[in-house]
Amino acid sequence: MTFGSLKTLNRFYSATSYTKIPRVCIVGAGPAGFYAAMHLTKNIQCKIDLIEKLPVPFGLIRYGVAPDHPEVKNVINQFTKVAQRPEVNFYGNVTLGKDITLNQLRQHYDAVLLTYGAEKDKTLGIENENAKNVIGARHFVGWYNGLPSNKDLEIDLSCDMAAILGQGNVALDVARILLSPIDELRKTDITEHALNILAGSKIKQLYLIGRRGPLQVAFTIKELREQLKLRDCKTVWRPEDFQNVINELPNLPRPRKRITELMLKSLNENETCSISNNTKMFKPIFFRSPKKFLINDKNNVTGIELICNKLEGENWESQKCIPTDEIEVVNCGLVFRSIGYKSIKADEDVPFSNGLVLNERGCVIDEANELGKLYVAGWLGTGPVGVILHTMGNAFQVAKTICDDLKNKADYSKSGFAEFKDIVKDKTDIVDWEGWQKIDKFEIEEGKKRGKPREKICSVEKMIEIAKSEFKIVKDNS
Ligand code: FAD
Ligand code: NAP
């Protein structure tokens, strides 16, 4: 059936209040949730309720993707079209495990798809990790992107040396935001509170510390290139970290070879680059694992004690770091821990182990056969790795399984959100799509006043207030 004829059918079903179509609940309105909804709407006749903890949609597209990467956020346009389809409902400000239970959802839907992502960060479990100015990258990212729970992050940028632990793309996002000229950031949708603090930053040197070597960096070439091109910033590598790297080059697969060549090229340019008083230094360091954070009598971080590692194993990709007896100290007044995100068990009935919802190609392995079937997609099912494209592929594959299962189901008798909406309404102010559109419009207007694409509202209460306001938005069903 084509997209257009499905839409006509949907209108017919709404008009006749015919209920014998499958009801699907998707928990989490990030990329995985939206891509799954997109696949379902294109391939099967169903009603979809998208339940989201925040009053606003889009997950890490809004609260993770760096403000200076606006092109990445264009997927929001596709997601908006999905949300505006008549068979899709958005229920924002509704949290699984708080306002609704998994059991409730499984009683009222033919299929429940969990896509609630990874909302905590991994910790190192080392001494003084709770010192002041040791900050999870996730909190910093949430802070500059306007995540309400991170708005009041306490961060002191008055030191001249800082360090990031971990060498993934999140680490490079953090580095770029700290080292970019402030006038570049002013043009983005970075929050005003972050801009004000970043404008007063005194950071001149930023270490990027990895436990393994240059061949194992987790960041990608595009992001490294951007870092190397930053205005008034010089990248300083340690030549000793690159011993033997050149010998490995011919054996590397193409993407790894290209990024390694770029690092080597930049290393060789080190000597020729000029430095002024304004130049900031970006200093990657390899083969070092954090042992403990050093602190002063006010519990402020003053440095990191690092264990020097060697690598063991034949294959460059799976080589493991082995600690030696050598210790090195890096002095710094601010540390970001950027070693990955992790998921949580949002509801007591979510089958959860080792940071993931247990699943087989998206089907959740559990015993509750009499209830609606349970599925998982996105970072909650795959682990907190992969870019939007990977998340899309995974969500499409899981949604296809849901379609196949629903097509084989003989009877659809579930009634979806309508059945328990009143109970939820007593617990929370539900924000629907129209409510989000009001927030969206408000933010864009606020942004215009400052020459920015938008100024995000960082308070849930304020979002709800705007969503409830009288201002009318006409629903575009095209
Ligand atoms: P999420 O995007 O986290 O969505 C999960 C949603 O579930 C959220 O809206 C959350 O509020 C909601 N939720 C959580 N708990 C509950 C609950 N209990 N009840 C209801 N709802 C809940 N990829 C790129 O391709 N390009 C980039 O530039 C890029 N930048 C990134 C920057 C950062 C800092 C990070 C961390 C990732 C970045 N990625 C990027 C990767 C990309 O963001 C992920 O691939 C993608 O967001 C994963 O989608 P998801 O739907 O699984 O999770
Ligand atoms: P990541 O890519 O998994 O990188 C994590 C980094 O932390 C690695 O360098 C890892 O080293 C290190 N690490 C992990 N545990 C450690 C420990 N105990 N001690 C020291 N170091 C440790 O995670 P991420 O940076 O959070 O990114 C998550 C995903 O989002 C990635 O797929 C990323 O590409 C994507 N993303 C994309 C973009 C973009 O496209 N611009 C931006 C941000 C994020 P080891 O390799 O040794 O484990």
Side-chain angles (χ1 to χ4, degrees):
M1 193 177 290
T2 63
F3 204 61
S5 56
L6 254 182
K7 195 166 169 177
T8 319
L9 249 182
N10 268 316
R11 291 222 168 97
F12 167 75
Y13 281 122
S14 343
T16 56
S17 63
Y18 186 80
T19 54
K20 298 262 170 191
I21 55 168
R23 303 276 176 166
V24 180
C25 181
I26 299 178
V27 182
F34 272 107
Y35 279 123
M38 183 185 292
H39 187 93
L40 288 167
T41 55
K42 282 185 183 174
N43 291 285
I44 194 170
Q45 180 69 34
C46 65
K47 286 250 177 209
I48 300 171
D49 292 333
L50 203 45
I51 284 173
E52 166 59 45
K53 174 179 172 168
L54 289 162
V56 294
F58 310 135
L60 285 169
I61 305 293
R62 181 176 159 100
Y63 290 121
V65 171
D68 58 345
H69 284 172
E71 70 292 346
V72 178
K73 302 185 193 204
N74 287 342
V75 286
I76 285 175
N77 299 330
Q78 282 175 281
F79 297 164
T80 298
K81 284 195 178 132
V82 173
Q84 288 177 332
R85 291 186 62 90
E87 71 273 35
V88 178
N89 284 308
F90 172 78
Y91 297 108
N93 200 33
V94 180
T95 304
L96 171 67
K98 181 171 152 260
D99 306 314
I100 42 161
T101 66
L102 185 60
N103 239 320
Q104 249 173 337
L105 294 181
R106 295 185 73 182
Q107 276 164 24
H108 295 293
Y109 289 91
D110 298 286
V112 176
L113 171 62
L114 301 177
T115 59
Y116 65 78
E119 61 169 285
K120 290 264 181 263
D121 53 353
K122 288 184 189 147
T123 50
L124 290 156
I126 60 172
E127 205 176 322
N128 299 328
E129 201 163 350
N130 293 326
K132 283 186 209 150
N133 252 13
V134 173
I135 290 175
R138 192 184 60 81
H139 292 87
F140 183 64
V141 168
W143 173 74
Y144 63 65
N145 274 328
L147 186 64
S149 54
N150 295 142
K151 180 182 179 293
D152 299 318
L153 177 76
E154 276 183 39
I155 183 164
D156 180 358
L157 303 182
S158 63
C159 54
D160 66 347
M161 282 196 272
I164 302 172
L165 296 167
Q167 293 182 327
N169 278 331
V170 172
L172 278 198
D173 278 357
V174 169
R176 219 173 48 256
I177 295 298
L178 288 169
L179 298 173
S180 286
I182 199 76
D183 50 318
E184 299 286 335
L185 295 179
R186 282 192 206 286
K187 301 175 216 157
T188 72
D189 70 358
I190 191 167
T191 50
E192 206 59 18
H193 62 253
L195 261 184
N196 291 337
I197 306 258
L198 286 165
S201 168
K202 295 279 181 288
I203 294 168
K204 294 283 280 181
Q205 299 195 42
L206 180 62
Y207 296 98
L208 186 82
I209 303 170
R211 60 180 170 180
R212 297 195 287 159
L215 293 181
Q216 289 85 19
V217 291
F219 52 73
T220 40
I221 193 161
K222 178 177 163 286
E223 283 64 32
L224 174 61
R225 216 174 262 135
E226 260 179 293
Q227 178 61 41
L228 296 177
K229 283 186 183 158
L230 277 192
R231 179 154 58 89
D232 294 333
C233 182
K234 180 178 157 88
T235 301
V236 182
W237 309 87
R238 301 214 283 204
E240 63 270 29
D241 287 342
F242 287 82
Q243 279 172 11
N244 300 326
V245 165
I246 206 149
N247 302 333
E248 292 287 337
L249 268 184
N251 310 321
L252 298 175
R254 197 172 138 73
R256 183 57 57 178
K257 191 173 172 191
R258 283 181 57 228
I259 192 170
T260 310
E261 283 169 343
L262 182 59
M263 285 187 271
L264 286 166
K265 181 167 173 271
S266 165
L267 166 72
N268 292 329
E269 284 167 0
N270 261 357
E271 311 304 317
T272 56
C273 175
S274 61
I275 300 177
S276 76
N277 270 352
N278 289 334
T279 309
K280 293 175 180 166
M281 303 279 190
F282 177 61
K283 296 183 162 178
I285 299 181
F286 295 94
F287 308 110
R288 301 287 183 270
S289 289
K291 182 167 184 266
K292 73 171 183 185
F293 294 104
L294 305 173
I295 54 169
N296 63 16
D297 54 2
K298 292 188 176 129
N299 197 31
N300 287 319
V301 68
T302 57
I304 321 167
E305 207 172 278
L306 299 166
I307 301 171
C308 304
N309 296 324
K310 57 181 186 181
L311 294 190
E312 211 173 75
E314 286 300 303
N315 183 318
W316 63 271
E317 212 169 355
S318 55
Q319 279 182 325
K320 288 206 166 21
C321 54
I322 306 294
T324 68
D325 294 336
E326 252 182 275
I327 296 286
E328 180 182 344
V329 170
V330 162
N331 294 318
C332 53
L334 170 63
V335 182
F336 297 93
R337 184 187 53 223
S338 183
I339 60 167
Y341 284 40
K342 73 174 183 201
S343 297
I344 59 160
K345 184 178 165 94
D347 178 283
E348 60 180 6
D349 290 319
V350 171
F352 195 83
S353 172
N354 283 331
L356 291 180
V357 171
L358 301 171
N359 72 95
E360 237 165 59
R361 292 176 62 77
C363 297
V364 176
I365 307 142
D366 78 334
E367 306 292 317
N369 289 331
E370 76 285 1
L371 297 168
K373 269 194 92 168
L374 190 58
Y375 304 83
V376 61
W379 276 17
L380 181 62
T382 61
V385 282
V387 293
I388 298 161
L389 211 63
H390 300 124
T391 300
M392 179 187 81
N394 172 257
F396 281 171
Q397 174 251 311
V398 178
K400 182 180 179 309
T401 306
I402 298 176
C403 285
D404 293 344
D405 288 352
L406 289 176
K407 279 173 191 163
N408 289 330
K409 204 169 177 243
D411 169 44
Y412 308 119
S413 52
K414 311 284 176 129
S415 45
F417 201 68
E419 194 70 15
F420 61 107
K421 191 171 179 178
D422 287 342
I423 305 171
V424 182
K425 264 183 169 169
D426 285 344
K427 294 191 174 179
T428 182
D429 287 303
I430 301 172
V431 175
D432 61 10
W433 195 256
E434 198 177 306
W436 151 243
Q437 285 181 303
K438 290 181 197 170
I439 297 168
D440 187 34
K441 193 159 192 289
F442 184 93
E443 289 186 343
I444 292 170
E445 289 298 322
E446 286 301 299
K448 267 189 203 150
K449 294 179 196 164
R450 299 177 170 92
K452 296 161 82 176
R454 76 170 62 232
E455 186 61 51
K456 288 181 196 161
I457 300 163
C458 306
S459 135
V460 167
E461 291 72 28
K462 175 94 177 155
M463 289 176 185
I464 293 167
E465 189 191 310
I466 295 169
K468 279 178 165 174
S469 65
E470 285 307 306
F471 181 73
K472 279 257 175 289
I473 300 269
V474 181
K475 196 167 178 180
D476 173 12
N477 285 335
S478 60

